[in-house]
Amino acid sequence: TLHAFGNRLIVMAGRLERREICGLQASDRRPIPKVVSYAERAALIADCMREVGLKVPDKETPTGKADFKRVMLSYTRKLQNYKVFCCDMAIMDNMAAGGRPFQELDSMRLFGQELELYHLYCEKLCDRNQIEFCDMLSMGLAILKQSSRVAKNVSEQFAAVLVDEFQDLSPSELALVHRLSSNISLVGDDDQNIYSFKNTVIDWPCLKQAAS
């Protein structure tokens, strides 16, 4: 998958490149970034919520455990959706026409304390050398863009790239594909786009602009 490939790019980059490009703070004990677990994520989000002044349910109350789980799930979705949203919107801006705007733009944004929570959570993840699943794409793409060493290594590996189910690619995934090779073949059908619920759909004509 493209997420797995993005993670490979993160691993290919050295500790210095990961720190300078992605902000990941490696240690001797954990030189390679680790995907954050559910328990780690919940504990970290709860800590960040307290720091920015958001209420965290008390797990010791009769309904506390269920309330805590519900709140953590809600904020996990909000933070991850916003992270994907920001990356995809930046890619669409750079493509100068690549796709149509998100259908539910306002619902994807964070404001006030929730925006503070997002930035603090991302900062603490990097300090712990941990990543979210969605970071595999954004950080892998950033490394391809900014590390000439990794980009050269990748370009020499792939004479050609075949992409199946092209209609389901997000802007970030499309941008990553275009940095793998100049010889790309696509297989897809825009009538079978099953991920329209993600609120973004790539237009076929944008391909040439994305490649330029």
Side-chain angles (χ1 to χ4, degrees):
T1 66
L2 284 169
H3 283 83
F5 188 82
N7 192 49
R8 187 193 306 177
L9 295 172
I10 295 173
V11 173
M12 286 172 60
R15 290 172 61 170
L16 180 61
E17 289 175 312
R18 286 195 291 268
R19 182 170 70 247
E20 292 180 345
I21 298 173
C22 305
L24 294 169
Q25 304 298 316
S27 64
D28 292 335
R29 185 176 63 86
R30 181 181 290 170
I32 303 298
K34 174 182 178 293
V35 179
V36 64
S37 68
Y38 171 80
E40 291 170 331
R41 181 190 296 113
L44 184 55
I45 290 177
D47 288 343
C48 292
M49 288 176 65
R50 295 185 185 96
E51 287 193 41
V52 302
L54 290 169
K55 184 177 180 181
V56 179
D58 183 0
K59 291 190 290 185
E60 301 306 318
T61 63
T63 61
K65 285 187 177 181
D67 289 341
F68 182 84
K69 185 175 181 179
R70 174 180 53 78
V71 170
M72 291 306 108
L73 181 60
S74 174
Y75 275 112
T76 293
R77 288 173 175 168
K78 283 185 178 181
L79 300 182
Q80 291 180 334
N81 286 343
Y82 186 71
K83 188 178 289 189
V84 173
F85 165 78
C86 289
C87 184
D88 281 345
M89 288 302 290
I91 293 297
M92 290 169 72
D93 287 343
N94 291 336
M95 286 161 63
R100 60 182 171 80
F102 283 72
Q103 296 169 354
E104 300 177 8
L105 189 64
D106 290 339
S107 69
M108 302 295 292
R109 294 191 183 278
L110 299 179
F111 300 95
Q113 288 173 299
E114 290 187 344
L115 186 58
E116 291 181 52
L117 171 65
Y118 169 77
H119 289 301
L120 182 60
Y121 174 68
C122 292
E123 179 183 331
K124 287 182 178 292
L125 271 183
C126 288
D127 287 345
R128 298 181 179 201
N129 201 27
Q130 293 179 313
I131 60 175
E132 294 276 12
F133 184 71
C134 57
D135 291 327
M136 296 178 183
L137 278 180
S138 59
M139 290 185 178
L141 182 57
I143 287 170
L144 266 187
K145 287 180 177 179
Q146 299 181 47
S147 171
S148 57
R149 180 187 65 82
V150 174
K152 183 176 184 296
N153 189 311
V154 169
S155 66
E156 293 174 347
Q157 289 186 36
F158 304 102
V161 173
L162 171 65
V163 181
D164 196 12
E165 305 294 351
F166 170 72
Q167 75 279 353
D168 295 329
L169 264 63
S170 70
S172 298
E173 291 168 332
L174 176 62
L176 181 58
V177 165
H178 273 285
R179 289 190 171 268
L180 301 185
S181 173
S182 59
N183 183 11
I184 302 175
S185 299
L186 307 172
V187 179
D189 181 354
D190 54 2
D191 289 331
Q192 297 182 34
N193 189 331
I194 65 172
Y195 290 113
S196 58
F197 65 86
K198 289 183 176 179
N199 302 321
T200 183
V201 178
I202 292 179
D203 297 324
W204 291 89
C206 78
L207 182 60
K208 292 182 180 179
Q209 297 186 17
S212 63

